[in-house]
Amino acid sequence: MAITKAAPRTGERTPPPERPPETRRLTSPLALTMLLLLLVLLQSPIRRALSAPVMQSWTTVFVAVVIQALPFLVLGVLLSAAIAVYVPPSFFARALPSRPALAVPVAGMAGAVLPGCECASVPVAGALVRRGVTPAAALAFLLSAPAINPIVLTATAVAFPRDPEMVLARFVASLLVACAMGWLWQRVGRTDWMRPPTHAHHEGQTRGAAFWDSVRHDVMHAGGFLVVGAMAAATLKAIAPESWLRTAADNPVVAVLALAVLAVVLSICSEADAFVAASLTQFSLTARLAFLVVGPMIDLKLFAMQAGTFGRGFALRFAPMTFALAIVSAVLTGAVLL
């Protein structure tokens, strides 16, 4: 027989429900206090470590790269967010020619006048495909916008004041890759390779809210990768044996491949990568051009964003082709212009 609890009589007070045991959490002020206390206790070892010549060299390179790149990064993020939010995708659909063969170079050249970092170019390209723009043109814009926009070219000129030809070489090589990938996808790409992109994350918000949400998102992502890139460049300059870097830099093939792979791994925002490339003085201008061409087109964060927007099958086909074409274009352009 089932036993049921008797209902409380009229006038009796129902006992309050038992509360689950509370877990003690480490509050932020306490964590900060403990961290400051630890720094005070270890100040002597920290001071000795920072006073070492290798750490002073590391700090100098790191601070120089971050300070030089930060203004261009912030300006690029602001302009990129403004374009992504305030310029409707229908504008691009109306501006592009209806013929895909002509729409690809027009979309590629549009990247030269519309600033946009990698974080913004992928959702914009997804919005173009949703609005009926041919995927070949959308992909050409995706590759060119973060690579040849005015902010990136200006940052490249500032980073390479003694080598102004790097600006033209970066523009030409990146535009060639964008157009070649657009035409190649138009010829061999299949509809089932690209998943229809979902709606952008800011759709449904007010424009002001979407703008600041995009700014916060891009600053957190791009700023973090800038710090990682600056740390890697400083480490190569300060810790890596000069003989190793000289051996890699003296072999043209190894130098180009090494910096191309480094660009993929570091995933630096295109508004800041020129300053990292300029600090790698052991390598030739052609090898550093490969770093500048590959990075804005395919890196770890871009692969993840492209897979999330267009599907993993698309990213697995698109990324290797882009990487190979970017290296070939950088080498050919470097041989002619550098």
Side-chain angles (χ1 to χ4, degrees):
M1 178 182 292
I3 300 175
T4 57
K5 286 187 177 181
R9 297 179 181 177
T10 306
E12 289 186 358
R13 298 181 62 184
T14 305
E18 295 183 1
R19 295 182 179 178
E22 295 183 357
T23 57
R24 300 182 63 182
R25 296 182 180 179
L26 188 65
T27 59
S28 298
L30 179 58
L32 180 59
T33 303
M34 294 180 64
L35 177 61
L36 292 176
L37 181 61
L38 183 62
L39 291 177
V40 170
L41 294 176
L42 299 178
Q43 60 178 326
S44 296
I46 293 175
R47 188 182 300 113
R48 286 195 298 269
L50 293 178
S51 62
V54 65
M55 285 304 301
Q56 290 182 351
S57 175
W58 188 94
T59 304
T60 299
V61 175
F62 173 78
V63 173
V65 171
V66 171
I67 290 180
Q68 284 184 307
L70 196 58
F72 295 97
L73 177 64
V74 173
L75 180 58
V77 165
L78 291 173
L79 292 177
S80 174
I83 291 173
V85 173
Y86 293 102
V87 177
S90 57
F91 167 80
F92 299 96
R94 293 193 303 267
L96 294 175
S98 58
R99 294 182 59 186
L102 296 178
V104 166
V106 172
M109 284 300 299
V113 295
L114 296 174
C117 69
E118 301 92 320
C119 299
S121 64
V122 175
V124 170
L128 293 177
V129 174
R130 286 200 311 272
R131 299 300 177 93
V133 174
T134 176
L139 295 179
F141 179 82
L142 181 150
L143 295 177
S144 68
I148 63 173
N149 69 69
I151 304 298
V152 170
L153 297 181
T154 302
T156 306
V158 173
F160 291 90
R162 297 182 181 179
D163 302 293
E165 63 273 14
M166 280 292 288
V167 180
L168 179 60
R170 182 174 194 177
F171 177 86
V172 172
S174 300
L175 184 60
L176 285 176
V177 177
C179 293
M181 280 301 301
W183 286 322
L184 183 63
W185 190 265
Q186 178 65 28
R187 186 171 183 83
V188 303
R190 288 165 40 183
T191 305
D192 58 336
W193 288 355
M194 178 181 287
R195 183 186 66 194
T198 57
H199 291 287
H201 69 279
H202 59 72
E203 289 187 0
Q205 297 179 322
T206 63
R207 288 188 173 184
F211 174 80
W212 289 114
D213 183 59
S214 179
V215 168
R216 285 192 298 268
H217 176 273
D218 291 353
V219 165
M220 292 298 295
H221 282 70
F225 286 112
L226 169 61
V227 171
V228 172
M231 292 174 62
T235 302
L236 285 175
K237 294 282 288 184
I239 297 179
E242 187 67 26
S243 58
W244 293 5
L245 296 178
R246 194 182 308 112
T247 301
D250 289 343
N251 188 317
V253 177
V254 174
V256 169
L257 291 177
L259 290 193
V261 172
L262 186 65
V264 174
V265 174
L266 293 185
S267 304
I268 310 171
C269 188
S270 58
E271 280 88 0
D273 60 358
F275 299 96
V276 176
S279 68
L280 303 174
T281 54
Q282 298 91 342
F283 293 86
S284 66
L285 290 178
T286 299
R288 286 184 277 177
L289 177 63
F291 181 89
L292 297 177
V293 175
V294 171
M297 296 189 174
I298 180 60
D299 56 32
L300 294 181
K301 72 174 185 300
L302 272 175
F303 180 84
M305 294 181 67
Q306 292 168 4
T309 302
F310 299 110
R312 187 173 61 178
F314 165 83
L316 290 175
R317 294 176 175 88
F318 187 74
M321 289 191 296
T322 303
F323 182 78
L325 274 178
I327 293 178
V328 172
S329 178
V331 170
L332 294 179
T333 305
V336 175
L337 297 179
L338 300 180

